[in-house]
Amino acid sequence: MSKEVWVGKKDSRYWYYKYRDSEYFSIALTSLTVIGCLVLVFNVIIPQFAGWFSIREEIIATRARIAILESNINFMNNLDRNALNTQLDTATTALPTEKEFGPMLDALSAAAVSSGVSLNDFSFQVGNVASSSGQAADARHKDVAAIKITLVATGPIANVKKFISNLEKSIPVTEVVNIDGSNQTVSLSIQFYQKNVPQIDIQADKPLAPLSAEKTALIQDLAKWKRSQPLPNLDATAGSAGAIPLF
Amino acid sequence: MSEGINLLDANKKNENILPVRRIHFMRIMAVSMLFVVSVSAVIVFILIALSPLPELQRQEQSLRLNLSNSSADMAKLALLDERTSVITKLLSERTSYDQTIGLLQDTLPDNATISSLRVEGDILVVTVESRSLQALDTFLNGLINYVQEKKGFSQVMLSSLSSDNVSNDYSLTVHLILL
């Protein structure tokens, strides 16, 4: 019986009462507290503070995004949508998103009429009509497809010069790349340009800005060229000059 | 015997492993650390709980939704910007041959005519005919002046000068390198 009592005294209560008033107990308790505190500091408090700092940074970033969004909403609310549509119409007429031969022929015809040259044979070099590959691309402009038209203009050199000048001030945008002529007959190679609609990635939290002054001036010039271009009433389609009473 | 019996061992040393003052200091330090950790935990909890981030995120979502109504116009604006950039580039890199022809006409005397003109890239070949050698000389000097003034052409090269005995015309062919 005495043995059982003795064994019972050796449990945790026994050790507690044995060392409760000794310096070992005090040292152990203090050490455990310090270690526990250090564990809490390094595993909980510091990560929590770091988390709070990242929350603070996120708050600053979110506030900046909100400011941009509000500014964009304000910008869009004040945007003249009619003007935007007109400007876009002018720009896409100047640089079409698809191969449109009607406006090209209109531009050529109008330039010929106003300069006094007569246009005879012409031919298109358009490459693959269905896809963007295989187009007669200009090496200078990688993303822009070029449609080359070779035509024969008849008239004095002054008129041919005026024809070129008129073409340069007409839309769609053109470029005369070759001239070869003699005796009032000039063969001209003219490039029209076309560019597909790009992948537009709208990011609402990027500040929207109106068109720059240079670009606005360009649009105004293009609109002027468009207005000054007398559009002949031609029912023209792409093909051979012999089949179409162009000029 | 008057001294009696001392049951305690008078020579037994009081062997503390640490002095009492040091233990006391350790206790104060432990309690302080506990206090600091507790206060820090409460502060962090309050800071995180009172953070305006969720409200700001809700506001941002609401504004994005509002702006998404104008996404079509934003796309138009982006397309317009892209078109004008490309057009500006095309126009800036375009060679104005009408100005080049204008320069030739300006220096061409009345009694001379351009009989042939060929432009390919930056090379222009022009043939001028006249009954007067003086007129051709004037034309050639005009071109040389352009080159010297760096106006339109960077180089001029006389290719041929011939005469036609039947028509009594002189023919001058010149190669010009455009600027």
Side-chain angles (χ1 to χ4, degrees), chain A residues 49-247:
Chain A
F49 264 113
W52 180 73
F53 277 114
S54 31
I55 286 172
R56 232 183 64 162
E57 282 170 13
E58 182 60 27
I59 287 170
I60 292 167
T62 309
R63 282 195 174 130
R65 284 199 300 273
I66 285 172
I68 292 169
L69 287 168
E70 284 174 342
S71 161
N72 286 351
I73 288 170
N74 194 32
F75 175 80
M76 291 310 294
N77 288 339
N78 294 327
L79 186 71
D80 185 347
R81 281 164 174 77
N82 289 332
L84 174 67
N85 289 334
T86 310
Q87 287 178 334
L88 184 62
D89 182 51
T90 305
T92 48
T93 309
L95 183 64
T97 54
E98 292 173 359
K99 286 175 180 164
E100 293 170 353
F101 300 105
M104 294 178 204
L105 298 177
D106 285 347
L108 290 173
S109 174
V113 167
S114 58
S115 60
V117 299
S118 63
L119 302 182
N120 301 324
D121 297 334
F122 72 91
S123 64
F124 284 100
Q125 184 193 333
V126 294
N128 190 346
V129 178
S131 71
S132 59
S133 61
Q135 290 170 331
D138 191 326
R140 291 170 299 167
H141 314 296
K142 299 286 180 198
D143 302 329
V144 182
I147 298 152
K148 206 173 198 174
I149 295 178
T150 304
L151 53 83
V152 176
T154 305
I157 190 81
N159 289 14
V160 172
K161 180 197 156 202
K162 197 175 175 191
F163 173 70
I164 295 170
S165 176
N166 286 344
L167 262 186
E168 286 178 353
K169 287 180 180 169
S170 66
I171 54 173
V173 172
T174 57
E175 180 176 6
V176 176
V177 287
N178 279 328
I179 303 172
D180 189 1
S182 59
N183 299 326
Q184 297 212 343
T185 303
V186 180
S187 169
L188 297 166
S189 292
I190 298 160
Q191 272 187 179
F192 286 87
Y193 296 101
Q194 174 259 328
K195 190 171 188 296
N196 294 336
V197 177
Q199 186 75 32
I200 295 172
D201 182 22
I202 299 171
Q203 290 182 322
D205 52 5
K206 282 204 169 176
L208 292 172
L211 276 188
S212 64
E214 290 81 15
K215 287 181 176 177
T216 309
L218 172 69
I219 290 289
Q220 283 169 353
D221 283 345
L222 293 174
K224 215 182 293 171
W225 295 351
K226 192 179 178 185
R227 277 197 300 274
S228 64
Q229 196 169 309
L231 291 176
N233 190 16
L234 296 171
D235 186 17
T237 52
S240 160
I244 303 161
L246 258 182
F247 308 111

Side-chain angles (χ1 to χ4, degrees), chain B residues 141-166:
Chain B
N141 283 330
L143 294 179
I144 291 167
N145 282 339
Y146 284 145
V147 172
Q148 286 171 346
E149 292 167 11
K150 294 183 176 174
K151 194 174 171 186
F153 310 106
S154 64
Q155 203 177 326
V156 57
M157 192 171 69
L158 178 64
S159 291
S160 69
L161 177 62
S162 60
S163 66
D164 186 344
N165 290 332
V166 178

Side-chain angles (χ1 to χ4, degrees), chain A residues 23-24 26-27 30 33 37-38 40-41 45 48-49 52 55 58-59 62-63 65-66 69-70 72-73 75-76 81 84-85 87-88 91 94-97 140-141 144 157-158 161 164-165 168 173-183 195-196 198 200 202 204-205 211 215 218-219, chain B residues 15-18 23 26-27 29-31 33-34 37 40-41 43-44 47-48 51-53 56-57 59-60 63-64 66-67 70-71 73-91 93-98 101-102 105 114-121:
Chain A
E23 66 270 27
Y24 292 112
S26 186
I27 290 167
T30 309
T33 308
C37 286
L38 288 175
L40 280 174
V41 164
I45 305 295
Q48 288 290 312
F49 264 113
W52 180 73
I55 286 172
E58 182 60 27
I59 287 170
T62 309
R63 282 195 174 130
R65 284 199 300 273
I66 285 172
L69 287 168
E70 284 174 342
N72 286 351
I73 288 170
F75 175 80
M76 291 310 294
R81 281 164 174 77
L84 174 67
N85 289 334
Q87 287 178 334
L88 184 62
L95 183 64
T97 54
R140 291 170 299 167
H141 314 296
V144 182
I157 190 81
K161 180 197 156 202
I164 295 170
S165 176
E168 286 178 353
V173 172
T174 57
E175 180 176 6
V176 176
V177 287
N178 279 328
I179 303 172
D180 189 1
S182 59
N183 299 326
K195 190 171 188 296
N196 294 336
I200 295 172
I202 299 171
D205 52 5
L211 276 188
K215 287 181 176 177
L218 172 69
I219 290 289
Chain B
E15 291 178 350
N16 284 336
I17 56 168
L18 282 173
I23 290 172
M26 281 180 67
R27 279 181 184 162
M29 200 179 74
V31 170
M33 280 188 72
L34 207 56
V37 166
S40 303
I43 288 172
V44 170
L47 284 175
I48 292 174
S51 160
L53 186 60
L56 288 174
Q57 284 172 335
Q59 190 184 353
E60 186 186 350
L63 290 172
R64 278 181 191 278
N66 192 352
L67 197 59
S70 306
S71 58
D73 289 325
M74 286 167 71
K76 282 181 187 175
L77 200 65
L79 183 62
L80 177 63
D81 191 58
E82 183 263 348
R83 292 282 119 172
T84 47
S85 297
V86 178
I87 292 169
T88 305
K89 189 168 179 285
L90 287 172
L91 294 182
E93 292 176 0
R94 185 168 74 173
T95 310
S96 293
Y97 288 123
D98 59 325
I101 295 170
Q105 282 184 314
I114 294 174
S115 63
S116 118
L117 178 74
R118 184 158 55 86
V119 186
E120 194 162 346

